Each structure stands twice: as C-alpha cells, then as structure tokens.
Amino acid sequence: MTRNKHESTNQIDIENLLLEYDNFLNFLQRDLSIKNISKTKLQKIKSKIKKEVLHYDEICKIYSDINRFKRIMRVLEEKKDNLNRDTLKRMLAGSEHSPFYSDNSEDAFFEFDFASRLINLRSYKSINIETKTDIIFNEVTAIECKKIHSGNSFEENLKKANKQILEKLNSGGRVKNGLIAIDLTNIFNHEKFREFSKHTYRLFLDEYLTLGHTETDCLHAIPRDNNFKGVVQNFSSALLEFSFHSMLKEVSANFQMNKDVMGVFYQAETFIPIETKDTRGLIAIRAGCYYINNQYLSHNDNKYNGEDIGSFLRSLASGI
C-alpha cells in the first residue's frame, strides 16, 4: 500500500467571510426552506462573536467553523433539489457549545464537505448524495465518509465503511468500485502543530521586518509566502500521516480491505491563530493524504477514469 499528500493553506479574510456566511444562511432559508434558522447552531455560532467575551483562540475556532460551513454552499446549491434531507437536518442539529469539531452533526457535515471536494475535480460528471450510500460519484464509485471521534473508533469505522461499500457493490447497478473518506480532525495533534507554526511564523516575521515591512503587511504577506506555506503544509501532513498510520497498525491483522476499494483518503482541519504586538490574524489549514489499497492494485489496473489512481486521490485536495 502507498500514500501521498496534498493540503491547503488559506488566510481568512474576516470581513468577507462574515458576508459570505450571511449569504449561506440566507440560501438555507430561501432555497432549502430551512425554517427558524436563527434557532439553529449556525446562527448561534455567529452570534457568539458579538455577545461573548472570548479568548482569541476561541474566536478563531468560531471563525474557522464559519469558514467550513460556507465552504459547502456550492454543493448544496448544485444539488438543492436532490439532497438527503435527513443528512441536512443532522448537520444543522447539535449545540453551538459543543467542543471544537466533536459534535455528532459533524458526521453529516463531512458528507457534504467531501462532496464539495468532488465537484471541483476535472473528472467530475455527476454526484449523488441522496442515497443510503453517503456519496455516489460519477455513477460508479461508492464513497463512505467517516468522522473519527476518537482513536478507539478508528478500526470500527474503517471496517464499517468497507462493509457498506461491499454491500453497495453486491446490490447490482453501475457501481464498480469504492473509496473510504475519513476525517481525523479530532485525532490530529493541534497543539503540536500550532506551537510549531506560531514559532515558524515568528521566524518569518523577523525576516520580513528587517526588510522594512510592517506587522500588518506581514499578516497578509507571510501566509502567501510559498516557503512559509511549504513548511507548515509539510508539517501538518506529517502529523496527519503519523496519526493515520499509528491507528492503522493497530487494526486487526486479519482485516483486509475489499479488493474493489481503492483505498482511504483522510484529512484533518486546523488553524493557526496569529497574535503579535500590533496585529491579529487567522490562517486556516486543511491537510489531506491518501492510502492506496494494494488489494485493489492487484485486481485492477492503476487507473481511475483514465488517470493514475494516485493522481486522482491527490487531486481531491485541490481547489479548497
């Protein structure tokens, strides 16, 4: 089995973010007929920014949440007439006071979020998110999405996804392969990543200041610096891979992924809160890696829709 990585670094423009989020809430009411949106956690999350005195890390968590929710608007717009309404209701459920990314409604969110990756692919033709299977991509690929809430649930969810895909493959129809999508945000070592990234940011800041830049200038320039991006992206991917493989090695030796399951795409989300003497900012990070099933390669060619499987899986992290 093999794996590779790709990831996204994105400085969040707070003012535009809130405007886009308002558009998202209006869309839910107008186009998806979601009633009493003000009583859902989506509106309450935003309201917390103005009503409560919060530590800056807590404010960053709220903005990061808002950034994630507005990200799925395109897939909801495109599939608004063919949505699984139960999944939508589950996504809107839960409390705004839930710990960061640990609410059960996150399971439903991840299905829509992974669908938003798929519609950005060059190979995208169709997507079905209203069946029992979480996602059917291009009519032939069954995708099961699992949010891992603790390391103890990793094996159970991996086996469950594999079984669900096998059931879909055996049910007839056009589906001929599968993919397991896993979110490891709850497992990811956020503290270690932020400690490393904040230190890296300060090192870059010192160098930029020697060139005459202001701290405010640096808040915009450093997140766009390819050298900075490369350092933090590679470290986030390394931590993500460590998390995945440390759990994978604990999976029962007698478990084998189905020969028609391409492998696992796994991701984690985090952020870097930036605080200096004169400025505050937020950098959102979404790391993604993949793991190819050797059993699939033994029984199928190394192609998906005409492209190398590694290239296909790597492309899932593009456009985010």
Side-chain angles (χ1 to χ4, degrees), residues 9 13 15 44 50 71 76 108 188 226 229 267-268 275 313:
T9 303
D13 182 327
E15 185 175 346
K44 292 177 181 178
K50 298 180 179 179
R71 189 173 66 211
L76 294 180
F188 187 78
N226 287 333
K229 289 168 65 175
Q267 70 169 42
E275 282 188 284
L313 294 174

mmCIF file of all heavy atoms in Angstrom, residues 9 13 15 44 50 71 76 108 188 226 229 267-268 275 313:
data_model
loop_
_atom_site.group_PDB
_atom_site.id
_atom_site.type_symbol
_atom_site.label_atom_id
_atom_site.label_comp_id
_atom_site.label_asym_id
_atom_site.label_seq_id
_atom_site.Cartn_x
_atom_site.Cartn_y
_atom_site.Cartn_z
ATOM 1 N N THR A 9 -3.513 25.885 2.463
ATOM 2 C CA THR A 9 -3.293 26.924 3.462
ATOM 3 C C THR A 9 -4.046 28.166 2.995
ATOM 4 O O THR A 9 -3.911 28.586 1.862
ATOM 5 C CB THR A 9 -1.795 27.268 3.587
ATOM 6 O OG1 THR A 9 -1.077 26.083 3.902
ATOM 7 C CG2 THR A 9 -1.573 28.303 4.681
ATOM 8 N N ASP A 13 -10.087 36.090 5.420
ATOM 9 C CA ASP A 13 -10.485 37.493 5.417
ATOM 10 C C ASP A 13 -11.781 37.572 6.225
ATOM 11 O O ASP A 13 -12.847 37.193 5.748
ATOM 12 C CB ASP A 13 -10.710 37.957 3.968
ATOM 13 C CG ASP A 13 -11.072 39.434 3.876
ATOM 14 O OD1 ASP A 13 -11.737 39.941 4.795
ATOM 15 O OD2 ASP A 13 -10.700 40.064 2.882
ATOM 16 N N GLU A 15 -13.829 39.967 7.354
ATOM 17 C CA GLU A 15 -14.964 40.778 6.906
ATOM 18 C C GLU A 15 -15.715 40.090 5.770
ATOM 19 O O GLU A 15 -16.946 39.963 5.806
ATOM 20 C CB GLU A 15 -14.475 42.158 6.457
ATOM 21 C CG GLU A 15 -15.605 43.108 6.084
ATOM 22 C CD GLU A 15 -15.110 44.516 5.766
ATOM 23 O OE1 GLU A 15 -13.947 44.815 6.093
ATOM 24 O OE2 GLU A 15 -15.887 45.285 5.188
ATOM 25 N N LYS A 44 -26.309 30.764 15.862
ATOM 26 C CA LYS A 44 -25.815 30.961 17.234
ATOM 27 C C LYS A 44 -24.289 31.015 17.272
ATOM 28 O O LYS A 44 -23.709 31.724 18.089
ATOM 29 C CB LYS A 44 -26.343 29.853 18.132
ATOM 30 C CG LYS A 44 -27.848 29.919 18.366
ATOM 31 C CD LYS A 44 -28.340 28.761 19.216
ATOM 32 C CE LYS A 44 -29.840 28.834 19.416
ATOM 33 N NZ LYS A 44 -30.340 27.678 20.221
ATOM 34 N N LYS A 50 -20.240 38.370 18.858
ATOM 35 C CA LYS A 50 -20.601 39.703 19.328
ATOM 36 C C LYS A 50 -21.058 39.722 20.780
ATOM 37 O O LYS A 50 -20.923 40.736 21.465
ATOM 38 C CB LYS A 50 -21.713 40.277 18.437
ATOM 39 C CG LYS A 50 -21.310 40.447 16.981
ATOM 40 C CD LYS A 50 -22.453 41.018 16.162
ATOM 41 C CE LYS A 50 -22.052 41.207 14.701
ATOM 42 N NZ LYS A 50 -23.160 41.746 13.882
ATOM 43 N N ARG A 71 -18.101 26.934 3.063
ATOM 44 C CA ARG A 71 -17.379 26.210 2.017
ATOM 45 C C ARG A 71 -18.272 25.204 1.282
ATOM 46 O O ARG A 71 -18.038 24.886 0.127
ATOM 47 C CB ARG A 71 -16.188 25.492 2.664
ATOM 48 C CG ARG A 71 -15.224 24.869 1.707
ATOM 49 C CD ARG A 71 -14.008 24.352 2.450
ATOM 50 N NE ARG A 71 -14.318 23.251 3.350
ATOM 51 C CZ ARG A 71 -13.675 22.995 4.482
ATOM 52 N NH1 ARG A 71 -12.699 23.782 4.893
ATOM 53 N NH2 ARG A 71 -13.997 21.967 5.232
ATOM 54 N N LEU A 76 -24.357 22.368 -2.010
ATOM 55 C CA LEU A 76 -25.768 22.459 -1.631
ATOM 56 C C LEU A 76 -26.575 23.186 -2.696
ATOM 57 O O LEU A 76 -27.721 22.819 -2.981
ATOM 58 C CB LEU A 76 -25.910 23.171 -0.284
ATOM 59 C CG LEU A 76 -25.323 22.449 0.933
ATOM 60 C CD1 LEU A 76 -25.546 23.274 2.197
ATOM 61 C CD2 LEU A 76 -25.926 21.066 1.091
ATOM 62 N N ALA A 108 -22.508 14.329 9.541
ATOM 63 C CA ALA A 108 -23.310 14.747 8.388
ATOM 64 C C ALA A 108 -22.605 15.846 7.605
ATOM 65 O O ALA A 108 -22.603 15.840 6.367
ATOM 66 C CB ALA A 108 -24.679 15.236 8.856
ATOM 67 N N PHE A 188 -6.066 14.670 15.279
ATOM 68 C CA PHE A 188 -4.899 15.473 14.889
ATOM 69 C C PHE A 188 -4.311 16.195 16.096
ATOM 70 O O PHE A 188 -5.035 16.666 16.978
ATOM 71 C CB PHE A 188 -5.332 16.482 13.823
ATOM 72 C CG PHE A 188 -4.225 17.272 13.213
ATOM 73 C CD1 PHE A 188 -3.406 16.708 12.249
ATOM 74 C CD2 PHE A 188 -4.003 18.593 13.587
ATOM 75 C CE1 PHE A 188 -2.380 17.448 11.667
ATOM 76 C CE2 PHE A 188 -2.993 19.339 13.014
ATOM 77 C CZ PHE A 188 -2.175 18.757 12.052
ATOM 78 N N ASN A 226 5.414 31.212 -0.374
ATOM 79 C CA ASN A 226 5.477 29.786 -0.703
ATOM 80 C C ASN A 226 6.402 29.005 0.227
ATOM 81 O O ASN A 226 6.172 27.821 0.499
ATOM 82 C CB ASN A 226 5.914 29.595 -2.157
ATOM 83 C CG ASN A 226 4.829 29.963 -3.143
ATOM 84 O OD1 ASN A 226 3.631 29.881 -2.832
ATOM 85 N ND2 ASN A 226 5.210 30.388 -4.337
ATOM 86 N N LYS A 229 4.367 28.555 3.435
ATOM 87 C CA LYS A 229 3.308 27.576 3.168
ATOM 88 C C LYS A 229 3.872 26.170 3.096
ATOM 89 O O LYS A 229 3.295 25.213 3.629
ATOM 90 C CB LYS A 229 2.588 27.928 1.854
ATOM 91 C CG LYS A 229 1.723 29.166 1.952
ATOM 92 C CD LYS A 229 1.269 29.664 0.589
ATOM 93 C CE LYS A 229 0.363 28.699 -0.108
ATOM 94 N NZ LYS A 229 -0.167 29.263 -1.376
ATOM 95 N N GLN A 267 -8.233 13.274 5.997
ATOM 96 C CA GLN A 267 -7.987 14.701 6.116
ATOM 97 C C GLN A 267 -8.068 15.133 7.575
ATOM 98 O O GLN A 267 -8.563 14.416 8.437
ATOM 99 C CB GLN A 267 -9.005 15.497 5.306
ATOM 100 C CG GLN A 267 -10.423 15.448 5.905
ATOM 101 C CD GLN A 267 -11.370 16.446 5.264
ATOM 102 O OE1 GLN A 267 -11.375 16.632 4.065
ATOM 103 N NE2 GLN A 267 -12.182 17.104 6.087
ATOM 104 N N ALA A 268 -7.581 16.345 7.831
ATOM 105 C CA ALA A 268 -7.756 16.996 9.127
ATOM 106 C C ALA A 268 -7.750 18.499 8.908
ATOM 107 O O ALA A 268 -7.083 18.998 8.006
ATOM 108 C CB ALA A 268 -6.655 16.600 10.102
ATOM 109 N N GLU A 275 -1.054 36.162 16.677
ATOM 110 C CA GLU A 275 -1.129 37.336 17.541
ATOM 111 C C GLU A 275 0.267 37.927 17.700
ATOM 112 O O GLU A 275 1.184 37.260 18.168
ATOM 113 C CB GLU A 275 -1.668 36.957 18.924
ATOM 114 C CG GLU A 275 -3.157 36.753 18.997
ATOM 115 C CD GLU A 275 -3.626 36.575 20.435
ATOM 116 O OE1 GLU A 275 -3.416 35.488 20.997
ATOM 117 O OE2 GLU A 275 -4.190 37.533 20.985
ATOM 118 N N LEU A 313 -6.505 10.633 -6.405
ATOM 119 C CA LEU A 313 -6.653 10.860 -4.972
ATOM 120 C C LEU A 313 -5.984 12.165 -4.546
ATOM 121 O O LEU A 313 -6.505 12.900 -3.700
ATOM 122 C CB LEU A 313 -6.082 9.679 -4.187
ATOM 123 C CG LEU A 313 -6.829 8.359 -4.357
ATOM 124 C CD1 LEU A 313 -6.093 7.221 -3.660
ATOM 125 C CD2 LEU A 313 -8.257 8.474 -3.842
#
